[in-house]
Amino acid sequence: DVKVTQSSRYLVKRTGEKVFLECVQDMDHENMFWYRQDPGLGLRLIYFSYDVKMKEKGDIPEGYSVSREKKERFSLILESASTNQTSMYLCASSFATGFNEKLFFGSGTQLSVL
Amino acid sequence: LAKTTQPISMDSYEGQEVNITCSHNNIATNDYITWYQQFPSQGPRFIIQGYKTKVTNEVASLFIPADRKSSTLSLPRVSLSDTAVYYCLENTGGFKTIFGAGTRLFVKA
């Protein structure tokens, strides 16, 4: 089974802190994604990566950056955390971009910024 | 904006068959239809995927009519543990795949 592991289940940070969310997948997938999920807004794509060192902005990249130095690891960085970044963050991976692509998600990180 | 339309919520009782219908009136020729399930405090999980006609696996069945403008996810004999949010998506590729609000299914004893 594909496993997507997010390093933290819950995080509490202070406004202005730099925050790192880590995600690792064990199935040699090319594509990795970061979403945030908020009540009533569904899942929104922040960034995705289709290869090592490659990244593309999703729908809501402002205030975030990403890093993909190795194929299995995709990090989301909040340069200066703000209270409106309090959310559930979900990492996902997929084998290849195609019309029958399937996304595999981690369990999520619930981030609270105080 | 999500390109699919599905009911916001549904209620059912244990042992019943549940059918959740999704509308995708402008689906592109190459798009597949994919359904995901999400439990509280977890990430979505792939359930089933199809292009047309009927697909069945150990979890659910998916019915897609010839015009492909809608699809129906069928869950046989639901249990309390099937209480979750179910998302219907047009698969245009991961970074273009849009998750809408989904259908919140509540199964009662």
Side-chain angles (χ1 to χ4, degrees):
Chain A
D1 281 351
V2 174
K3 191 158 187 181
V4 178
T5 303
Q6 295 184 229
S7 56
S8 303
R9 196 78 177 89
Y10 300 96
L11 272 181
V12 180
K13 297 293 181 180
R14 296 214 173 269
T15 302
E17 278 192 77
K18 191 169 185 176
V19 181
F20 293 86
L21 302 183
E22 306 287 345
C23 176
V24 177
Q25 50 94 3
D26 66 357
M27 282 301 291
D28 203 36
H29 284 173
E30 284 87 359
N31 304 320
M32 296 189 75
F33 309 85
W34 275 106
Y35 290 86
R36 64 177 282 177
Q37 184 172 30
D38 302 287
L41 295 177
L43 279 77
R44 293 180 290 168
L45 182 63
I46 304 171
Y47 267 98
F48 65 94
S49 168
Y50 52 89
D51 202 354
V52 175
K53 297 192 186 296
M54 305 301 288
K55 60 185 179 183
E56 294 289 342
K57 294 180 180 178
D59 300 317
I60 51 165
E62 296 78 19
Y64 303 94
S65 62
V66 290
S67 172
R68 192 162 181 207
E69 297 296 319
K70 293 184 178 181
K71 191 174 186 179
E72 67 270 19
R73 186 180 296 270
F74 193 34
S75 303
L76 180 69
I77 304 155
L78 286 65
E79 298 290 342
S80 178
S82 63
T83 55
N84 62 12
Q85 292 178 311
T86 290
S87 185
M88 168 70 86
Y89 289 88
L90 291 161
C91 175
S93 71
S94 70
F95 179 63
T97 300
F99 301 108
N100 59 347
E101 180 182 31
K102 299 166 191 158
L103 298 175
F104 295 87
F105 284 85
S107 296
T109 296
Q110 180 63 53
L111 173 67
S112 297
V113 183
L114 306 177
Chain B
L1 292 176
K3 294 190 284 184
T4 60
T5 304
Q6 51 185 123
I8 294 174
S9 64
M10 295 180 68
D11 288 346
S12 182
Y13 288 93
E14 281 190 293
Q16 288 187 334
E17 178 184 74
V18 171
N19 296 308
I20 306 174
T21 298
C22 176
S23 297
H24 26 83
N25 291 313
N26 298 311
I27 188 169
T29 303
N30 293 329
D31 286 357
Y32 279 66
I33 298 298
T34 308
W35 286 79
Y36 290 84
Q37 174 192 56
Q38 185 178 25
F39 297 115
S41 301
Q42 293 187 28
R45 180 178 76 109
F46 170 87
I47 302 177
I48 198 165
Q49 183 180 76
Y51 185 78
K52 60 181 177 181
T53 65
K54 178 182 175 182
V55 178
T56 298
N57 62 22
E58 64 278 4
V59 176
S61 294
L62 178 61
F63 301 91
I64 305 173
D67 66 6
R68 303 198 335 115
K69 293 185 182 300
S70 67
S71 60
T72 299
L73 175 74
S74 181
L75 304 172
R77 297 180 297 282
V78 295
S79 64
L80 298 177
S81 63
D82 291 316
T83 293
V85 178
Y86 293 82
Y87 297 95
C88 162
L89 299 94
E90 293 177 30
N91 237 59
T92 55
F95 53 88
K96 300 176 189 172
T97 297
I98 300 172
F99 282 81
T103 297
R104 189 172 299 273
L105 173 66
F106 186 67
V107 180
K108 304 177 220 180

